[in-house]
Amino acid sequence: MEFVRKEHEITLESPEGKVLACVTFPSVDAGTVEIDHTFVDDSLRGQGIAGRLMEEAASCLRERNLKAVLTCSYAVKWFEKHPEYAEITKKI
């Protein structure tokens, strides 16, 4: 299973190109994005895919020296459970 990194989202796609899972993080300003949506297709639920998406997003943002405002409820809960990524979060 390979995630595809794009400028403002990370996706997991089927061999046919259908998006099976994604996390989106549009820009707020030059150094900040908003993690605003996480989606996992019903066929993949319960397999830890959403958590892996968050890990991938956190790593991507850390590499790009970006901060994240969290408005997605899943992202809020995930970052609370993973304080090792606290430095990339930003309050509004």
Side-chain angles (χ1 to χ4, degrees):
M1 213 173 280
E2 192 171 318
F3 293 108
V4 178
R5 287 186 179 191
K6 300 176 184 175
E7 186 175 359
H8 296 291
E9 70 179 350
I10 296 172
T11 61
L12 177 64
E13 300 174 2
S14 72
E16 298 78 30
K18 177 185 176 192
V19 174
L20 299 174
C22 72
V23 58
T24 58
F25 43 92
S27 290
V28 174
D29 59 41
T32 309
V33 298
E34 174 187 4
I35 299 180
D36 65 349
H37 181 68
T38 304
F39 163 77
V40 177
D41 188 79
D42 289 340
S43 66
L44 296 175
R45 297 248 169 114
Q47 299 180 39
I49 302 299
R52 290 177 52 203
L53 272 173
M54 279 297 125
E55 246 178 61
E56 189 74 17
S59 294
C60 177
L61 298 177
R62 188 181 267 170
E63 290 166 13
R64 293 162 63 186
N65 294 314
L66 295 171
K67 299 284 185 185
V69 174
L70 310 174
T71 58
C72 167
S73 60
Y74 182 82
V76 170
K77 291 175 187 171
W78 189 87
F79 276 90
E80 286 173 357
K81 293 178 183 176
H82 295 86
E84 66 271 25
Y85 293 107
E87 85 283 354
I88 68 169
T89 63
K90 180 178 181 179
K91 304 283 185 211
I92 36 178

